[in-house]
Amino acid sequence: MANIYPFKGILYKEDLRKASVMAPPYDVISDEYRAKLNKNNPYNVVRLTLPEVYDKAKEYLDNWLDEGILKFDSDCCFYGYTCDYEFDGKKRQLKGILAALKLEEFGKHIRPHEKTLKGPKIDRFNLITTTNASFCPIMGLYDKSHTIREHLSKASSKKPIFEATFEGQLHRLFKITDKEAIKAIEEDFSNKIVIIADGHHRYETALMIKKHYNEQGIKEGGFDYIMILLVEAEDGGLSLGAIHRLIKKLNDLDSFIGKLKEYFQIEEGRNPSADFIMYTDKRFYSLTLKGKRQKGILNSLDSKVFEDVVYKGILKLTDEDIKNQTVSGYAHSEEELIELVDKQKAKVGFILKPMSFEQLVKITEEGLTVPQKSTFFYPKIPSGLVGYHFRSIEGCLDV
């Protein structure tokens, strides 16, 4: 079972709970944007999530807690969260619960959904072991739950403790403090599996941190938990898009298209029933597989078929080649794909269809993972709404 608990979050004082203290996830912030965030508000959370020096982040955190800029919540609580946003021209609302998730190795109750690259974990390791805090929640998915939906609905009908429009999206944070509600949510999760949607590397880093303290003889503490936003997979309002494929280098485009014709029927234009849409030289082409897809849930995914047929079959790329992205590449939207090809930063682009949440859940239930860069979850959760400190869990394990 997945064990989740309420926690005493770190919150900005009430008159600072506004957009100017918020920041995007640390891994999408450029140096220029970081400078802008710092200039907009001297208390912006980016000083804690993306510092130039780790000790400086600890100094800011300690000082802001001493000065009352930040404070620990007086209650052990879950935090309801909503985000009003737009995706593919449609208005949507993401709904979820922020909780402290007890760490365990991937596999039984907590599962990754994709193969991950060996990422720069040492940066987050150094930051969190220096500050003992994190302001960037990971995101997890769970199967349908009437209980959680009911308590989240009740919480979001009340006045939020934080409400701000940041980067065109309306974010709201609510407290869930009722002991019966907390117990009901904990019990409901006791028979659920959590699928990590966003934050695989941060979860793995948290496991490294736990091991680090265990090896020092410290067997338990706040490092045993990670702050997570839990979202119902199919009905939680999260959008699941495709990550499209690029080929950056080709010696002979005509020869490549000739090889594609061995596997695909190719027609000019965009046919919605085609397997892939190719874009090159300012033209679209529809590609339809000549044979049937192989059996198995993974082979129903565009990303798996494309990897097997084009990257590995035609271009003879290895897993290491794909990881290095010298020949291969990715685009998170059709607009980005078209721009990269038109600017000759890529030779060819391929538009893929997104997988469904049903496919994603089934894949993880079977203990499988999808190829790298198969999923694009939106929206991304900003930092600054609430933070987790190793002390946040104190007194909250038996509410």
Side-chain angles (χ1 to χ4, degrees), residues 24-35:
Y26 72 94
D27 53 355
V28 299
I29 301 174
S30 65
D31 290 342
E32 293 77 16
Y33 195 29
R34 175 169 61 178

Side-chain angles (χ1 to χ4, degrees), residues 187-292:
E187 288 180 350
D188 202 55
F189 252 93
S190 66
N191 61 2
K192 290 194 178 299
I193 290 169
V194 173
I195 302 168
I196 302 299
D198 212 4
H200 290 79
H201 286 143
R202 281 174 283 156
Y203 190 89
E204 291 168 343
T205 302
L207 290 174
M208 287 171 53
I209 292 170
K210 173 181 167 66
K211 181 180 178 182
H212 166 74
Y213 286 110
N214 288 167
E215 289 175 346
Q216 293 182 17
I218 308 171
K219 296 305 179 185
E220 58 183 30
F223 52 79
D224 284 316
Y225 308 86
I226 188 170
M227 181 169 61
I228 185 170
L229 176 70
L230 294 161
V231 178
E232 193 172 302
E234 293 191 45
D235 298 317
L238 185 66
S239 293
L240 175 53
I243 300 180
H244 307 298
R245 271 36 182 176
L246 300 170
I247 298 175
K248 297 177 182 177
K249 293 183 179 180
L250 272 178
N251 292 329
D252 188 335
L253 178 61
D254 290 336
S255 174
F256 171 71
I257 291 177
K259 290 178 181 177
L260 281 177
K261 289 179 178 178
E262 296 177 17
Y263 298 89
F264 298 97
Q265 293 179 343
I266 301 177
E267 59 178 318
E268 191 166 348
R270 297 189 63 158
N271 183 343
S273 64
D275 290 289
F276 304 104
I277 302 298
M278 181 174 72
Y279 180 75
T280 186
D281 196 25
K282 297 188 180 295
R283 291 182 180 180
F284 291 101
Y285 299 87
S286 297
L287 278 62
T288 304
L289 278 165
K290 290 183 175 179
K292 292 183 178 179

Side-chain angles (χ1 to χ4, degrees), residues 15-163:
D15 63 347
L16 278 176
R17 294 176 193 171
K18 49 191 177 183
S20 63
V21 299
M22 298 167 68
Y26 72 94
D27 53 355
V28 299
I29 301 174
S30 65
D31 290 342
E32 293 77 16
Y33 195 29
R34 175 169 61 178
K36 180 181 177 181
L37 291 169
N38 283 328
K39 184 178 180 181
N40 286 347
N41 193 316
Y43 301 119
N44 189 280
V45 73
V46 76
R47 295 186 186 273
L48 308 178
T49 62
L50 194 62
E52 294 182 6
V53 181
Y54 302 121
D55 287 338
K56 196 67 177 175
K58 175 175 171 52
E59 181 182 329
Y60 279 123
L61 178 58
D62 291 345
N63 288 342
W64 292 356
L65 286 168
D66 289 342
E67 296 166 8
I69 303 300
L70 294 172
K71 65 175 184 177
F72 281 92
D73 202 323
S74 56
D75 300 309
C76 293
C77 55
F78 291 122
Y79 296 90
Y81 169 74
T82 64
C83 173
D84 295 343
Y85 70 100
E86 190 172 305
F87 186 78
D88 277 348
K90 297 178 181 178
K91 292 183 178 180
R92 306 200 66 190
Q93 185 182 69
L94 172 69
K95 302 175 289 291
I97 288 180
L98 284 154
L101 173 68
K102 189 166 186 181
L103 296 167
E104 60 177 76
E105 294 293 334
F106 280 141
K108 192 172 183 182
H109 306 116
I110 301 172
R111 300 181 182 177
H113 80 274
E114 70 176 2
K115 297 176 182 177
T116 57
L117 305 174
K118 289 187 176 180
K121 302 184 184 76
I122 193 64
D123 168 59
R124 293 297 101 179
F125 178 92
N126 288 337
L127 178 62
I128 294 171
T129 53
T130 300
T131 62
N132 289 348
S134 172
F135 292 82
C136 303
I138 65 170
M139 186 189 295
L141 305 175
Y142 62 90
D143 202 5
K144 293 180 179 180
S145 167
H146 174 74
T147 299
I148 297 171
R149 195 182 302 171
E150 179 184 352
H151 289 296
L152 182 55
S153 178
K154 284 182 181 178
S156 59
S157 67
K158 300 175 182 177
K159 184 179 179 181
I161 62 169
F162 195 132
E163 182 174 23

